[in-house]
Amino acid sequence: MNIISNHMPTAELQALDAAHHMHPFTDNAALAKKGVRIITRANGVTLTDSQGHEILDAMAGLWCVNIGYGRKELADVASRQMMELPYYNTFFQTSHVPAIALSAKLAELAPGDLNHVFYAGSGSEANDTNIRLVRHYWAAKGKPDKKIIISRKNGYHGSTLGGASLGGMTAMHAQGGLPIPNIHHIDQPDWYAEGGDLSPDEFGLERARQLEQAIHDLGEDKVAAFIAEPVQGAGGVIIPPATYWPEIQRICDAHDILLIADEVICGFGRTGEWFGSRTFGIRPDIMTIAKGLSSGYAPIGGSIVCDEVANVVASAGDFNHGYTYSGHPVAAAVALENLRIIQEEKIVETVQNDTAPYLANAWSTLADHPLVAEAKTVGMMGTLAMSPDVASRAAFASAAGTVGLICRTHCFDNGLVMRHVGDRMIIAPPLVIGKSDIDLLIERARTALDLTYTEVQNEGLYKAA
Ligand code: PXG
């Protein structure tokens, strides 16, 4: 294999990175002082850094490398497609084979009558498409006032102006003048943090009914759509109570509101089905896709749109929207090959029947750790809530994320990528992770939790708010 390993010394790479590279969601000044970690290669579920350390990637990159690293088939397809047709656009009454083949495949895989694909380069761009698409749809139906999109606090829908406005991340809204007008946020179904004394089922219904209340308050004639992730990913792998999604579905049906399932993380096997919508019994009108669509091997996203929305939009003349890279032939060919591998290797079935139950069982053993108040999984996603008082689910007295960051650092130092969101630890490993690597993941996670527990006690942080 042709591995690019003759790179400069790490310190030189770090200095160049600090001088010239602005990192996303990062305090770049602090990072420049500390020195960035440089990943040089990866195979299967394992990363190697510039100093030769091997790290188990329990985040599949950024929730995307579903089929794992080092799949030569995808590299070969990309290379062949680049020689045959590296680029052509899909504007001006033109198409090409990869975009056509991928669209047909996605229509086959997607539930219900989600049969039409509008491509983007990322999940954020796809959600920007969705904002314009649903508003244009209602305008085409003679209801131009149906513009408001309801979404959720602590939801994540991307980082563009539209995506970040749909998202409910307060730290993102605080910068750059967001949200854009006509986006309305309701509360999230996070029973652990916000459920108080309600049972999870009671709480799920209560939170879903906030949607009905919001539609009532804003006016049904003003609301275009509701958008949500089946399971909030970046928000901390928030798995909603069982009562939540059926009630949301009922409300959208009852009030003539389009339902957009943001499947950017949940799609392509992550929850143990092809789409999170299937796992939770959601019948969306539009699904946002990205990440696992190409397993991250090429940047591509899109919106899969139902017959009714696509037909109305098609009958209304030009939809004045699109990206240079909508349906990019190399990205589309890579995505198609990725889907072929997922299907032929029965990766979704293996997750559902074998490795996800194994992970669920192994992950639940962490619940006996003195720092852990909740340990849950769905498919190949896991979340651990840490607390100084596990019985009451109390938050730490320290600023949210202080303990989480300590734990994440111990994870990295012990060869494990596990993220923290506040004081929750989360995982979403490649779907192809095997049982022995799941065992290793749990072993390293436990070591990190032990080290965190000791440090938290020594630093006087083991205190409830
Ligand atoms: N929707 C969802 C549900 C996502 O998780 C996007 C849209 C935006 O996709 P792009 O491709 O534009 O990034 C995402 C992306 C994190 C993290 O910290 C999560 C994402 C992106 C960056 C960081 O967990 N998810």
Side-chain angles (χ1 to χ4, degrees):
M1 215 195 306
N2 184 18
I3 291 171
I4 305 166
S5 52
N6 57 338
H7 52 72
M8 296 174 194
T10 299
E12 283 178 46
L13 288 168
Q14 287 172 325
L16 286 173
D17 191 86
H20 304 297
H21 185 184
M22 298 170 76
H23 290 261
F25 286 92
T26 297
D27 175 343
N28 280 282
L31 178 63
K33 283 205 195 96
K34 184 170 171 240
V36 74
R37 173 182 300 104
I38 297 161
I39 303 300
T40 48
R41 57 181 191 270
N43 195 37
V45 300
T46 307
L47 308 168
T48 305
D49 74 11
S50 58
Q51 294 166 315
H53 300 122
E54 296 207 329
I55 311 165
L56 173 57
D57 183 10
M59 281 309 299
L62 209 43
W63 321 80
C64 53
V65 189
N66 286 11
I67 65 167
Y69 298 94
R71 292 299 302 243
K72 186 168 181 305
E73 301 93 320
L74 270 63
D76 288 345
V77 160
S79 156
R80 284 205 303 277
Q81 185 59 47
M82 280 192 188
M83 291 309 296
E84 193 152 317
L85 182 70
Y87 177 75
Y88 200 73
N89 69 67
T90 50
F91 294 43
F92 318 131
Q93 308 194 342
T94 306
S95 198
H96 49 66
V97 178
I100 295 167
L102 181 60
S103 306
K105 187 73 196 170
L106 287 169
E108 177 197 314
L109 291 172
D113 67 350
L114 296 171
N115 287 321
H116 313 267
V117 191
F118 196 107
Y119 290 104
S122 66
S124 301
E125 286 177 15
N127 278 327
D128 279 28
T129 297
N130 291 338
I131 294 173
R132 301 198 62 209
L133 187 69
V134 298
R135 290 177 177 170
H136 181 54
Y137 163 81
W138 286 115
K141 284 181 66 113
K143 298 182 177 175
D145 292 337
K146 273 173 91 73
K147 280 195 191 116
I148 299 174
I149 302 174
I150 300 176
S151 62
R152 304 182 300 185
K153 295 174 189 166
N154 200 37
Y156 190 85
H157 300 293
S159 202
T160 50
L161 278 173
S165 295
L166 291 174
M169 300 294 180
T170 46
M172 292 176 80
H173 291 175
Q175 298 172 344
L178 299 182
I180 59 170
N182 290 313
I183 310 286
H184 180 85
H185 296 90
I186 59 174
D187 287 321
Q188 58 173 333
D190 181 353
W191 174 80
Y192 175 87
E194 300 174 9
D197 294 331
L198 293 182
S199 73
D201 281 353
E202 288 167 342
F203 177 73
L205 279 181
E206 186 194 278
R207 286 292 155 100
R209 285 177 187 154
Q210 277 197 14
L211 175 61
E212 197 153 44
Q213 187 63 45
I215 293 167
H216 177 79
D217 294 346
L218 297 163
E220 190 173 319
D221 52 343
K222 299 273 186 339
V223 180
F226 173 66
I227 182 168
E229 306 152 80
V231 175
Q232 290 154 260
V237 184
I238 309 299
I239 304 165
T243 49
Y244 182 75
W245 272 112
E247 185 66 0
I248 291 283
Q249 184 70 58
R250 181 194 68 73
I251 293 165
C252 289
D253 291 346
H255 296 283
D256 212 13
I257 304 297
L258 294 174
L259 175 52
I260 308 171
D262 186 334
E263 295 268 4
V264 167
I265 283 177
C266 291
F268 306 102
R270 178 60 59 197
T271 65
E273 296 274 1
W274 273 90
F275 296 98
S277 290
R278 268 208 229 280
T279 302
F280 291 92
I282 308 165
R283 285 180 282 101
D285 300 292
I286 298 175
M287 291 195 319
T288 320
I289 55 171
K291 292 192 191 277
L293 168 58
S294 67
S295 281
Y297 280 65
I300 183 167
S303 307
I304 315 186
V305 180
C306 70
D307 289 341
E308 151 75 8
V309 172
N311 291 341
V312 167
V313 168
S315 67
D318 284 0
F319 176 38
N320 298 315
H321 179 75
Y323 309 105
T324 301
Y325 297 136
S326 286
H328 189 285
V330 177
V334 168
L336 202 55
E337 180 66 0
N338 171 61
L339 299 180
R340 184 192 68 74
I341 288 174
I342 296 178
Q343 226 168 5
E344 287 187 10
E345 297 184 3
K346 301 199 183 310
I347 290 175
V348 181
E349 293 84 343
T350 303
V351 167
Q352 183 170 66
N353 299 324
D354 196 19
T355 47
Y358 190 83
L359 175 73
N361 187 46
W363 190 253
S364 72
T365 64
L366 297 172
D368 69 7
H369 194 279
L371 266 184
V372 175
E374 182 192 70
K376 288 173 85 174
T377 64
V378 57
M380 273 294 155
M381 279 195 269
T383 181
L384 280 181
M386 295 188 291
S387 168
D389 180 7
V390 297
S392 70
R393 320 197 301 266
F396 290 96
S398 49
T402 307
V403 177
L405 183 60
I406 291 172
C407 188
R408 189 188 76 172
T409 305
H410 286 303
C411 288
F412 263 119
D413 292 346
N414 285 281
L416 176 66
V417 181
M418 172 156 78
R419 281 268 316 276
H420 81 106
V421 175
D423 297 315
R424 273 180 188 273
M425 304 310 297
I426 59 174
I427 55 160
L431 303 185
V432 295
I433 190 169
K435 290 179 184 169
S436 60
D437 280 324
I438 291 176
D439 290 343
L440 191 63
L441 189 169
I442 301 296
E443 186 189 310
R444 291 182 182 172
R446 187 174 281 280
T447 303
L449 285 167
D450 287 345
L451 292 167
T452 304
Y453 188 47
T454 306
E455 182 169 339
V456 162
Q457 283 179 317
N458 291 346
E459 300 296 321
L461 295 169
Y462 197 62
K463 278 201 304 259

